[in-house]
Amino acid sequence: MAIENTSMSEFITMDHTYQSRIALRSELIKDSRHDVLAHRPVVKTSVLEFYSWMTSTYLPRRFPTVFSITPTGLYNKVTNLTLPATTADVETALSLLGSNVDCDFLFLLPIPTGDKDYPTEEGIKYRLEGFITCFPSGFNTRSKLGLSLADIHDPVPGYKSKLQKSMDRFFASLPVGRIIKRHNWSITTHPRLHALAGNHMTEEEHAGGVEDEEINMSQTVLRCERQTLHRLPGTKALVFAFKTYTYPIEELRNEGSGEELADAIEGLGKGNVPEITVYKRQVVWGKKVAAYLRGNASS
């Protein structure tokens, strides 16, 4: 979907799933910390700047019914826990953000001039230097740590040929005070929020023949991400944030949205990057899910 401007009041959203999502996020940070949280030394100041702003300004002002400032820190009325207003430890900051905000955060910094692996002849490039991502959609964020935008998106069809240069320019030119919002969507044949693999497919896997995979419609969901991007005023780091939503396709069909979603599924291969149908595994689930949404197949 198109990128659009938004306001800081829309930076993070909260809904009725907050309590259950926070419980799951806390469990993942405890049991799968290696996969969901990582950072490099250069990002420490940026993470601490963001954490301090979130606890002292954004969260208590945006969600006063959930968060309130007390003499000892920021009190979370849902979890009955108090977060320190500041911390000097980046690991603690990322962990507390991940276990109190139902949103994933990636921190990107400009690659220093002179880095032999990323020459700057074509302008400033950005690199992933830290993250807390409990709900990745089919990728392991740790494997992306230290990579440039282009290298992170290497598996995405058409990114390098059609988007790389414009995205590098866009990231480099984003001013402080402007927040960008966009949405994306796909279908997953499982409801797991924490998915390190399985949501994407390569051309090689496609060549092996996977179209006959059985699809359990009761486990199949529309997965959407609400993504935002903004620049920190102090360190000038970029914060890419995304919140994940899932909607069972059974419910979408029953409420009358089936035809619209089926049309969108069939339209994936009609854009300027038809290979996206393989990358998103539409070649596996596309026809079956579209037929189900139109009432032509049972679960």
Side-chain angles (χ1 to χ4, degrees):
M1 293 188 179
I3 292 174
E4 58 185 276
N5 293 315
T6 187
S7 66
M8 278 297 180
S9 64
E10 297 179 86
F11 173 52
I12 294 172
T13 58
M14 193 173 292
D15 51 43
H16 70 280
T17 65
Y18 176 74
Q19 188 166 15
S20 61
R21 291 286 193 91
I22 287 300
L24 175 57
R25 296 175 70 88
S26 298
E27 181 182 336
L28 288 166
I29 292 170
K30 177 184 177 182
D31 298 336
S32 303
R33 195 180 193 89
H34 180 84
D35 296 323
V36 305
L37 187 159
H39 54 90
R40 299 187 350 149
V42 69
V43 81
K44 178 178 179 178
T45 306
S46 299
V47 171
L48 299 186
E49 177 189 2
F50 181 67
Y51 176 85
S52 178
W53 172 72
M54 288 285 283
T55 56
S56 66
T57 304
Y58 185 79
L59 291 175
R61 291 184 182 179
R62 180 72 175 87
F63 305 106
T65 59
V66 177
F67 297 99
S68 61
I69 295 177
T70 71
T72 56
L74 183 69
Y75 177 60
N76 186 327
K77 301 172 188 178
V78 175
T79 64
N80 199 32
L81 297 174
T82 299
L83 289 67
T86 61
T87 177
D89 183 67
V90 64
E91 189 94 2
T92 298
L94 290 171
S95 179
L96 289 173
L97 286 170
S99 56
N100 285 273
V101 183
D102 184 21
C103 197
D104 289 307
F105 301 105
L106 296 93
F107 296 82
L108 301 108
L109 288 171
I111 298 172
T113 302
D115 190 313
K116 62 181 179 61
D117 294 321
Y118 299 100
T120 56
E121 287 83 357
E122 297 179 358
I124 299 172
K125 296 178 175 63
Y126 277 77
R127 180 160 55 197
L128 177 63
E129 300 288 6
F131 65 86
I132 172 69
T133 54
C134 294
F135 300 153
S137 182
F139 62 92
N140 190 324
T141 318
R142 178 174 282 271
S143 69
K144 310 290 186 180
L145 189 66
L147 298 184
S148 69
L149 280 176
D151 291 336
I152 289 171
H153 291 91
D154 185 65
V156 181
Y159 184 87
K160 286 193 174 181
S161 63
K162 300 180 183 295
L163 293 175
Q164 177 180 337
K165 291 182 180 180
S166 62
M167 290 303 291
D168 283 342
R169 288 194 297 267
F170 178 77
F171 273 60
S173 63
L174 185 67
V176 171
R178 183 183 179 193
I179 185 167
I180 301 300
K181 179 178 70 174
R182 71 181 293 271
H183 298 82
N184 73 358
W185 69 274
S186 187
I187 300 292
T188 61
T189 54
H190 62 82
R192 297 187 303 276
L193 286 165
H194 177 68
L196 299 179
N199 291 357
H200 302 116
M201 186 169 65
T202 65
E203 290 288 351
E204 290 75 16
E205 291 171 326
H206 180 218
V210 292
E211 288 83 350
D212 293 332
E213 180 181 314
E214 185 175 345
I215 308 299
N216 184 343
M217 297 300 171
S218 67
Q219 296 293 303
T220 300
V221 301
L222 169 66
R223 181 175 178 133
C224 304
E225 288 180 357
R226 180 186 183 278
Q227 304 172 346
T228 61
L229 180 73
H230 79 283
R231 188 180 300 279
L232 298 178
T235 61
K236 303 300 188 293
L238 290 175
V239 181
F240 178 81
F242 65 92
K243 177 169 180 175
T244 303
Y245 302 85
T246 58
Y247 307 93
I249 63 164
E250 286 183 319
E251 293 182 9
L252 295 172
R253 183 178 76 162
N254 293 340
E255 71 179 20
S257 302
E259 185 66 35
E260 183 178 3
L261 181 54
D263 288 345
I265 288 170
E266 293 171 344
L268 280 175
K270 298 176 182 178
N272 60 359
V273 187
E275 298 86 354
I276 201 72
T277 57
V278 174
Y279 177 70
K280 289 197 171 189
R281 302 185 82 247
Q282 189 258 24
V283 292
V284 175
W285 47 257
K287 292 181 180 179
K288 299 167 187 175
V289 172
Y292 174 79
L293 288 168
R294 291 189 171 112
N296 298 329
S298 64
S299 59

